[in-house]
Amino acid sequence: MEPRNQTAVSEFLLLGLTDDPALQPIIFALFLSMYLVTVLGNLLIILVIGSDSHLHTPMYFFLSNLSFTDISLSTITVPKMLVNIQRQSKTISYTSCLTQVYFALVFVGMENFLLAAMAYDRYVAICHPLRYTVIMNLHLCVLMILFSLCISIVDALLHSLMLLRLSFCTDLEIPHFFCELAQMIKLSCSDTLIDNILIYIAACIFGGLPLSGIIFSYTHIVSSVLRMPSPEGKHKAFSTCGSHLSVVSLFYGAAFGVYISNEVSDSPRKTAVASVMYSVVPQMLNPFIYSLRNRDMKEALRKLISRTASLP
């Protein structure tokens, strides 16, 4: 294949999940439904937290930011796929593709660090309850959000700048429904050794550190809970962590599944299907997990519905 400099590349082809025309309407309806549920569900979480003063705590502050991140991540990937299906087109411009890569990395990184921050919040609440309000003050919470955002932006910017130096071949087909960093690197005709090394280093640092923090937090949480003499106290402590543990398991389980699929599967389409479990499904399910498993959220939601119903 004859290499072309990236300045000559005007667009890529997103192959999506299937080429079967009969399945396109089904996929469109499915992803449209998932996207609407994701946006409306996470917006409702933000609205409920903002409207109830009892939820103005660090845990729900992080949760509202997580909901905003979920909306943003889904908006980066799904609408373009829906537009392409509607227009019966597979093209995405070079600029739009790089934009997708950049913002997808930013919001995935944000989700990583937010889950770690929420785990630390639960660690302080359970292991150091008397000092909780002193440690988890508003200043620290805002700093943690800003730190997460800055680190995620730097990581995404570094990967995006590395992509800009690559030349691409005449085969510009991306076997996914959105522009994914690893798939774009595979299309390059340039030497991608540095890019691949950077991906592994970034994954270890920006993925490994938050996950290590989560494991550290829950190790100490379990140890503290098991030392509690009261069964009611143990149940209450574990119940405050149940929703977060479910979200963590879903997020990292899906990410691990995508990694395994990339390593063992020779079918790009199977990898694309696996990526849906990482980039779409967790963001859709998070509102249900927190609203159905969290007593405070359910009570605040009932209050909001009652106030709304009582309006003239």
Side-chain angles (χ1 to χ4, degrees), residues 11 20 34 46 49 55 57 61 70-71 73 84 89 92 102-103 106 110 145 172 180 187 192 196 213 264 275 280 302:
E11 61 186 24
D20 190 348
M34 293 170 71
I46 296 172
I49 292 173
L55 300 182
T57 62
F61 173 71
D70 287 339
I71 293 172
L73 182 57
N84 279 4
S89 170
I92 182 172
Y102 174 76
F103 282 105
V106 168
M110 275 292 293
I145 294 295
L172 300 175
E180 189 184 50
L187 295 180
T192 59
N196 287 314
V264 304
S275 70
V280 179
R302 278 194 291 267

Side-chain angles (χ1 to χ4, degrees), residues 179-191:
C179 291
E180 189 184 50
L181 175 64
Q183 295 298 325
M184 289 192 68
I185 290 176
K186 287 180 181 180
L187 295 180
S188 174
C189 293
S190 306
D191 182 6

Side-chain angles (χ1 to χ4, degrees), residues 104-143:
L105 289 172
V106 168
F107 293 121
V108 167
M110 275 292 293
E111 189 140 351
N112 258 309
F113 285 104
L114 282 172
L115 290 175
M118 294 170 77
Y120 178 71
D121 172 77
R122 293 298 84 206
Y123 159 73
V124 176
I126 293 174
C127 299
H128 305 283
L130 299 180
R131 299 174 56 200
Y132 177 75
T133 55
V134 176
I135 296 174
M136 296 303 297
N137 54 71
L138 179 61
H139 181 67
L140 177 63
C141 294
V142 172
L143 280 180

